Amino acid sequence: MDLIEPAGYSHERPAEPLRSGDNTVREGALSDVGSLWKALDEQLLPLLRRYRRNLSSLQVDTKADNTLLSEADLAAQTTIVETIGQYFPRSRFVAEEDGAELPSSGELTWIIDPIDGTSEFVAPGGREFCSVVCLLEAGIPTGAYVLAPELGADRTPIMIHWSGEVIVNGQTAEPLNFSAIPRQASVTRSKDAAARKFENDLADVGCVMKTRTTSQTLDMVRTCIDLSAWTRAPEHQFDLFYRTDQKVWDGAAGIGLSMAMGRTATDGGGVSPLPLGEQFLNQREPTFPATVVGDADCVRWFVELLAESRGG
């Protein structure tokens, strides 16, 4: 079955792969983006920790799509928007929790997921959650911020800043080794969704799969950046990421970071999703039909596997 692309999902020109160090933000603004990321660390880390210490009294609602919305999501989004506004007053926001009116035009576009993995955030034992910001220029990711407050060993924070180069906890990010056939893959699906044919095919080549959805951003990050020095869990790294019906706030930062680290990001047909068109971004919930991330050879192999599974 052919994938149906949403309006504005532009394939008019394939995006050149980004590399750590490439950035189209004006040179004078690069330091401002880096300062913004540090300011978000200072604002968000204590805020999220405060809510995590008081989970028993946290207000949590269920949205129409059966995902969770907590008061912490709203507070984090407000903090992110206000902090960005202090550094870049003429900004446009595409955010998951859009109950409040946000500026819809500006020189720069910021895609925000205040808490990616809310179900993990509200669970006392959860760790797989993060706050995410992606900077877009002309539909291309040129910067990203990921704060995972408890992902590190002993529940220490992991802070990822991309503005010129990709930095993890103050150090240059280390790429993962390339693999033409995935040994470990994040192929998450909705809670009640049935197993898919390609999962059997992955199992046949010895691939270990993660199918339970937590934070899609963190899974994408662990497909392109070696976090094992901080997590002490190399088994949680992936050679391949695949997700269908992915919201833009769940995928944009991961797509940008993966390309900045030398990985490839495509849709389920092997075509780059970039640049993101205005019509796409102006939708209520901009959604990628499918996202595949990994080494170029690995992505090519998997896209061919998908085509065979659809044809079979």
Side-chain angles (χ1 to χ4, degrees):
M1 181 176 65
D2 293 334
L3 291 174
I4 300 174
E5 297 175 359
Y9 186 82
S10 174
H11 289 154
E12 293 180 359
R13 61 178 178 89
E16 291 295 325
L18 303 175
R19 292 286 186 262
S20 182
D22 292 346
N23 201 313
T24 61
V25 178
R26 295 182 303 277
E27 289 298 322
L30 276 175
S31 60
D32 290 339
V33 176
S35 297
L36 168 62
W37 299 155
K38 293 176 182 177
L40 287 175
D41 285 339
E42 294 172 359
Q43 296 290 325
L44 288 173
L45 195 54
L47 182 147
L48 296 175
R49 283 174 169 168
R50 184 168 64 251
Y51 280 108
R52 285 282 288 169
R53 286 195 300 267
N54 296 281
L55 288 179
S56 60
S57 60
L58 183 69
Q59 180 178 340
V60 182
D61 298 312
T62 302
K63 296 188 288 188
D65 61 358
N66 289 322
T67 59
L68 300 182
L69 171 64
S70 75
E71 59 182 306
D73 291 85
L74 300 176
Q77 180 163 299
T78 297
T79 297
I80 292 169
V81 170
E82 291 179 350
T83 304
I84 291 173
Q86 293 171 10
Y87 285 81
F88 298 94
R90 293 182 295 277
S91 288
R92 167 200 188 187
F93 299 97
V94 178
E96 179 172 15
E97 317 305 346
D98 71 344
E101 289 295 326
L102 298 175
S104 58
S105 62
E107 294 179 357
L108 300 175
T109 297
W110 307 84
I111 299 178
I112 300 169
D113 192 344
I115 301 178
D116 181 17
T118 302
S119 61
E120 285 277 304
F121 182 85
V122 302
R127 301 174 66 174
E128 298 268 333
F129 59 87
C130 60
S131 293
V132 187
V133 180
C134 180
L135 169 60
L136 282 186
E137 294 185 272
I140 304 292
T142 58
Y145 170 87
V146 180
L147 169 63
E150 300 180 26
L151 187 66
D154 302 320
R155 295 189 176 270
T156 53
I158 292 180
M159 296 161 283
I160 300 171
H161 299 177
W162 173 32
S163 59
E165 67 174 328
V166 181
I167 302 293
V168 181
N169 286 4
Q171 300 180 31
T172 300
E174 292 291 334
L176 292 167
N177 294 326
F178 293 103
S179 177
I181 296 178
R183 299 156 296 185
Q184 298 182 117
S186 168
V187 290
T188 61
R189 42 184 158 85
S190 299
K191 184 177 179 180
D192 298 323
R196 298 150 292 186
K197 182 179 181 299
F198 72 81
E199 293 178 27
N200 292 328
D201 297 327
L202 287 175
D204 287 343
V205 298
C207 180
V208 178
M209 288 168 281
K210 176 192 175 190
T211 58
R212 185 177 75 88
T213 301
T214 52
S215 163
Q216 295 177 46
T217 298
L218 290 181
D219 283 1
M220 297 176 83
V221 164
R222 288 180 297 203
T223 307
C224 64
I225 299 175
D226 187 352
L227 297 182
S228 60
W230 292 278
T231 63
R232 301 177 196 161
E235 69 276 10
H236 293 164
Q237 301 283 167
F238 304 109
D239 299 308
L240 180 79
F241 172 90
Y242 174 66
R243 179 76 185 197
T244 57
D245 299 322
Q246 185 184 47
K247 303 294 191 297
V248 70
W249 37 76
D250 291 323
I255 289 171
L257 285 166
S258 66
M259 297 179 73
M261 295 300 295
R263 280 342 201 212
T264 294
T266 75
D267 64 11
V271 180
S272 171
L274 304 177
L276 302 182
E278 286 299 306
Q279 189 176 356
F280 174 69
L281 292 172
N282 286 334
Q283 293 178 20
R284 168 63 186 85
E285 291 189 334
T287 303
F288 301 118
T291 304
V292 186
V293 170
D295 168 57
D297 290 337
C298 189
V299 167
R300 189 177 303 112
W301 179 88
F302 182 71
V303 167
E304 292 174 357
L305 184 69
L306 283 179
E308 292 173 2
S309 68
R310 289 193 295 265

